[in-house]
């Protein structure tokens, strides 16, 4: 078989699990056995019924626009153990509170607040003008809308599965948790490794973009590698702060810094010539096209920039886990997707219309007037260092706990030796991010690569693949005995090693399962092609005369 549900990974759920194989986010039952698929469904149904029975006065959204603008509302705050943080014991596993801090530090739980979080967690619209320059108006608009529709579909699938498998008794806290309940440990490891890879490369991209901005501000008198080292050292220092609570209000400020940068950028490109030197092109008239006939690899690299606009699915589960009524998540996602599609696409089309073939991948760095260029760089550098401090800290804990602790049995971060390793890991993490940024000083190609390998999977590939496994397991239950919470492992009449269970699993929802199976393959094919295109572009640019070199002093925008 190409894949197997979690129930048949070679472990009998009726046999107690060895202690070394347990994970704190996946608790065992009272009899020492692992919760099975039926258990998650049973308690999730009770949880949804409890939520539906709550008073309408408790559920009513209050201050919707206040939630969006300021992150305030009338709902209760999600519980977070800040008492331990004040004592300094915050270097343990990534808590729900720290995840929220990394997501703009909002701890409200209304769908209005989640709308804010979704739009804040997206990397930003800065790469969209360059994306349109690679494909043209027609394919650019079509791809942007298509990505929006499919991202909404993937988000709805995640929401549906969360509603069916989450409960207070067995809560879902991360994407890896949901992956574990459907396909088991192996798929959780895949998700955690990709998540860790995405975080470290994203920090590398922040170092790279900030390095480019600093080199422009210094009028290229400062070596580009030194510019990157500055941000690496800043990250090493800021990352030593174990608690992220103090960054909360600063993180909320970052979205407004981005809005200011967008407004200044649009005003500047409309009234000043393009940055010809940064684009490495001779001065000439601005040219825009409906369809750009560039090589296929260049077009795919451009399209992958749009993926960043819809790249928040990796932490959708965390958002739903904090909502008082997760059934309302679809509202937040629908409004957020509409907002992103309209605002981000408008910005991309606006800048492309004024700068055409001269547009840079980081839009504000394409401003030719030094004063405005410096102003936007200073603002974006501030927002960048905020993001770096938050996500770098969380990134270290995600990698350490989900990779080294689980796969290599490293000591947990709650013990003294783990705390020392945390401090060392911060330094190693930022050094690794610096190496990535300086070794591949090609923002467009590197961002396309991480979009293809990591972001694309969480937003587009994994949701239909996971729903396929969920539907098959749920359908297979139709031939079992009624579930008994007192004897949770006694309801099944056969196992996944029997063809009878596979036959039941495939007997219903054929069209839905076929659609999700084909969609999964199509997404995988797209990701492979996009990754190949990005790698080929990286190799080509390194072989091109005049391009920035690894660990060199020449800035990519010089």
């Amino acid at each position: 078989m190409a894949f197997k549900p979690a129930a048949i990974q070679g472990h009998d759920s009726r046999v107690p699990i060895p202690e070394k194989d347990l994970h704190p986010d996946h608790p065992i039952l009272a009899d020492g056995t692992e919760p099975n698929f039926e258990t998650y469904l049973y308690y999730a149904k009770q949880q949804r019924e409890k939520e539906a029975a709550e008073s309408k006065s408790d559920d009513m959204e209050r201050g919707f626009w206040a939630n969006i603008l300021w992150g305030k509302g009338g709902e209760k705050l999600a519980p977070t153990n800040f008492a331990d943080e004040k004592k300094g014991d915050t270097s343990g596993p990534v808590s729900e509170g720290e995840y929220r801090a990394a997501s703009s530090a909002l701890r409200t739980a209304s769908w209005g607040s989640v709308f804010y979080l979704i739009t804040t967690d997206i990397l930003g619209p800065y790469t969209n003008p360059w994306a349109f320059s690679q494909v043209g108006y027609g394919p650019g608009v079509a791809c942007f809308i298509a990505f929006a529709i499919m991202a909404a579909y993937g988000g709805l699938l995640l929401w549906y599965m969360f509603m069916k498998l989450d409960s207070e008794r067995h809560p879902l806290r991360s994407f890896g948790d949901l992956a574990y309940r459907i396909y088991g440990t192996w798929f959780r490891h895949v998700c955690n490794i990709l998540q860790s890879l995405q975080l470290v490369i994203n920090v590398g991209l922040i170092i790279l973009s900030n390095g480019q901005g600093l080199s422009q501000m210094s009028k290229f008198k400062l070596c580009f590698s030194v510019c990157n080292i500055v941000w690496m050292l800043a990250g090493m220092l800021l990352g030593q702060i174990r608690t992220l609570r103090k960054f909360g209000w600063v993180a909320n400020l970052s979205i407004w810094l981005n809005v200011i940068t967008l407004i200044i950028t649009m005003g500047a490109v409309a009234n000043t010539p393009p940055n010809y030197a940064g684009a490495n092109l001779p001065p000439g008239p601005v040219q825009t096209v409906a369809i750009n006939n560039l090589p296929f690899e260049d077009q795919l690299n451009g399209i992958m920039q749009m993926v960043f606009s819809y790249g928040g699915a990796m932490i959708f589960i965390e958002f739903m886990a904090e909502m008082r009524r997760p059934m309302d998540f679809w509202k937040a996602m629908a409004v957020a997707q509409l907002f992103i599609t309209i605002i981000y696409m408008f910005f991309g089309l606006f800048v492309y219309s004024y700068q055409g073939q001269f547009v840079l991948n980081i839009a504000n760095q394409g401003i030719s007037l030094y004063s405005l260029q410096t102003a936007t760089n200073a603002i974006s550098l501030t927002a960048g260092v905020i993001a770096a401090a938050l996500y770098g800290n969380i990134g270290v804990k995600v990698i350490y706990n989900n990779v080294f602790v689980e796969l290599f049995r490293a000591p947990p971060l709650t013990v003294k030796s783990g705390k020392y390793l945390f401090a060392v890991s911060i330094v190693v993490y930022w050094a690794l991010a610096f190496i990535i940024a300086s070794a591949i000083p090609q923002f467009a190609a590197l961002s396309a690569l991480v979009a293809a390998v990591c972001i694309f999977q969480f937003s587009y590939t994994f949701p239909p693949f996971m729903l396929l496994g969920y539907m098959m397991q749920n359908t297979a239950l139709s031939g079992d005995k009624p579930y008994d919470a007192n004897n949770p492992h006694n309801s099944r009449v056969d196992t996944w090693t029997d063809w009878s269970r596979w036959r039941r699993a495939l007997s219903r929802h054929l069209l839905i399962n076929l659609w999700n199976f084909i969609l999964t393959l199509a997404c995988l094919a797209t990701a492979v092609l996009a990754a190949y295109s990005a790698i080929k572009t990286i190799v080509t640019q390194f072989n091109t005369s005049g391009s920035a070199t690894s660990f060199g002093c020449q800035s990519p925008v010089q």
Side-chain angles (χ1 to χ4, degrees):
M1 298 295 176
F3 63 90
K4 294 182 178 181
I8 55 168
Q9 287 194 321
H11 172 71
D12 187 344
S13 59
R14 294 166 294 184
V15 179
I17 309 171
E19 184 177 356
K20 66 181 181 62
D21 293 332
L22 295 178
H23 188 272
D25 289 337
H26 310 291
I28 60 175
L29 299 177
D31 59 359
T33 59
E34 179 183 10
N36 54 16
F37 188 75
E38 299 92 312
T39 301
Y40 295 132
L41 290 175
Y42 176 80
Y43 288 107
K45 183 179 179 182
Q46 289 187 342
Q47 181 69 26
R48 302 291 85 85
E49 291 174 349
K50 175 183 176 182
E51 293 167 355
E54 290 180 351
S55 171
K56 291 184 178 181
S57 61
D58 293 335
D59 301 333
M60 187 177 300
E61 294 287 345
R62 292 184 294 177
F64 172 72
W65 291 110
N67 284 332
I68 294 179
L69 295 175
W70 311 111
K72 296 178 181 179
E75 63 276 41
K76 298 178 181 178
L77 300 182
T80 304
N81 190 8
F82 282 121
D84 290 340
E85 291 184 357
K86 293 179 180 179
K87 297 176 183 177
D89 187 19
T90 60
S91 59
V94 182
S95 67
E96 293 181 53
E98 289 175 321
Y99 267 121
R100 298 286 72 75
S103 305
S104 302
L106 269 68
R107 308 194 190 284
T108 54
S110 71
W111 67 270
S113 299
V114 172
F115 159 82
Y116 180 90
L117 286 167
I118 293 175
T119 54
T120 304
D121 273 307
I122 304 304
L123 183 63
Y126 299 107
T127 60
N128 287 329
W130 187 83
F132 281 103
S133 72
Q134 301 300 295
V135 296
Y137 286 116
V141 172
C143 288
F144 212 91
I145 294 176
F147 277 129
I149 294 173
M150 296 312 298
Y153 176 72
L156 287 174
L157 297 187
L158 294 176
W159 168 71
Y160 175 80
M161 289 181 284
F162 181 93
M163 297 293 291
K164 296 295 184 180
L165 296 173
D166 167 77
S167 64
E168 289 182 353
R169 184 181 294 253
H170 301 293
L172 283 170
R173 296 188 178 94
S174 67
F175 203 104
D177 286 351
L178 182 59
Y180 173 83
R181 296 187 184 185
I182 296 176
Y183 287 113
T185 303
W186 72 271
F187 193 51
R188 175 161 55 89
H189 288 329
V190 169
C191 292
N192 287 338
I193 290 173
L194 286 180
Q195 183 186 34
S196 303
L197 183 63
Q198 177 179 333
L199 286 168
V200 70
I201 296 181
N202 277 353
V203 173
L205 288 170
I206 292 174
I207 292 177
L208 182 57
S209 62
N210 283 5
Q212 291 180 179
L214 184 58
S215 68
Q216 284 185 328
M217 296 173 69
S218 68
K219 295 185 177 180
F220 307 110
K221 295 179 181 179
L222 188 62
C223 176
F224 178 65
S225 290
V226 174
C227 294
N228 288 341
I229 290 175
V230 169
W231 299 111
M232 177 193 70
L233 295 176
M236 289 178 177
L237 292 175
L238 291 173
Q240 297 301 325
I241 302 175
R242 292 192 182 98
T243 175
L244 300 178
R245 188 184 186 187
K246 297 178 181 179
F247 286 105
W249 69 271
V250 182
N252 292 335
L253 178 64
S254 65
I255 188 172
W256 302 112
L257 296 177
N258 288 328
V259 169
I260 293 173
T261 302
L262 296 183
I263 295 173
I264 296 176
T265 299
M266 288 191 291
V269 300
N271 295 281
T272 60
N275 184 356
Y276 302 112
N280 293 320
L281 292 173
V286 171
Q287 298 177 355
T288 57
V289 295
I291 300 177
N292 201 339
N293 294 318
L294 289 176
F296 181 69
E297 293 85 357
D298 294 336
Q299 292 187 345
L300 261 183
N301 288 335
I303 290 173
M304 282 298 107
Q305 306 305 314
M306 301 178 186
V307 172
F308 274 98
S309 299
Y310 305 105
M314 180 182 69
I315 47 179
F316 278 2
I317 303 300
E318 283 87 338
F319 294 160
M320 287 183 272
E322 193 169 303
M323 293 182 69
R324 293 186 63 206
R325 286 192 60 177
M327 64 183 66
D328 290 336
F329 173 78
W330 71 270
K331 302 176 185 178
M333 189 192 65
V335 177
Q337 298 289 19
L338 185 63
F339 174 87
I340 291 168
T341 303
I342 295 175
I343 302 300
Y344 288 17
M345 186 166 61
F346 173 79
F347 176 78
L349 291 171
F350 186 95
V351 175
Y352 173 58
S353 297
Y354 279 100
Q355 292 199 331
Q357 74 276 25
F358 301 107
V359 70
L360 296 188
N361 188 265
I362 303 176
N364 68 287
Q365 295 180 0
I367 299 174
S368 59
L369 187 62
Y370 177 75
S371 58
L372 291 178
Q373 181 191 88
T374 301
T376 56
N377 273 328
I379 297 172
S380 62
L381 291 182
T382 303
V385 75
I386 293 172
L390 292 170
Y391 289 95
N393 189 290
I394 290 296
V396 169
K397 293 180 180 180
V398 168
I399 292 176
Y400 189 90
N401 287 287
N402 292 326
V403 178
F404 291 103
V405 172
E406 288 195 34
L407 299 183
F408 302 106
R409 307 303 179 188
L413 291 174
T414 51
V415 301
K416 187 174 182 179
S417 59
K419 294 179 181 179
Y420 288 128
L421 285 176
F422 171 79
V424 175
S425 298
I426 287 287
V427 176
V428 174
Y429 183 88
W430 280 92
L432 178 60
F434 163 77
I435 292 173
I436 293 173
S438 297
I440 311 176
Q442 303 170 22
F443 188 91
L446 184 58
S447 59
L449 182 60
V450 69
V453 175
C454 302
I455 299 176
F456 200 87
Q457 316 311 320
F458 290 108
S459 295
Y460 302 104
T461 307
F462 290 162
F465 176 63
M466 293 164 72
L467 183 68
L468 178 64
Y470 169 85
M471 296 289 285
M472 290 177 61
Q473 292 197 65
N474 194 41
T475 303
L477 298 177
S478 60
D480 292 340
K481 295 180 292 185
Y483 178 80
D484 182 3
N486 297 319
N487 194 1
H489 299 295
N490 194 41
S491 60
R492 296 190 181 184
V493 297
D494 50 14
T495 68
W496 287 103
T497 58
D498 301 318
W499 169 243
S500 58
R501 195 164 192 83
W502 284 97
R503 185 172 60 248
R504 287 201 310 278
L506 298 170
S507 63
R508 298 169 57 189
H509 310 296
L510 295 180
L511 292 180
I512 296 177
N513 289 340
L514 181 61
W515 158 254
N516 286 309
F517 178 72
I518 294 175
L519 182 59
T520 299
L521 295 181
C523 290
L524 283 174
T526 302
V528 170
L529 284 174
Y532 167 79
S533 299
I535 294 173
K536 186 176 180 180
T537 300
I538 292 173
V539 174
T540 301
Q541 290 188 9
F542 272 129
N543 294 329
T544 301
S545 176
S547 298
T549 59
S550 299
F551 303 96
C553 280
Q554 179 183 347
S555 173
V557 292
Q558 186 174 355

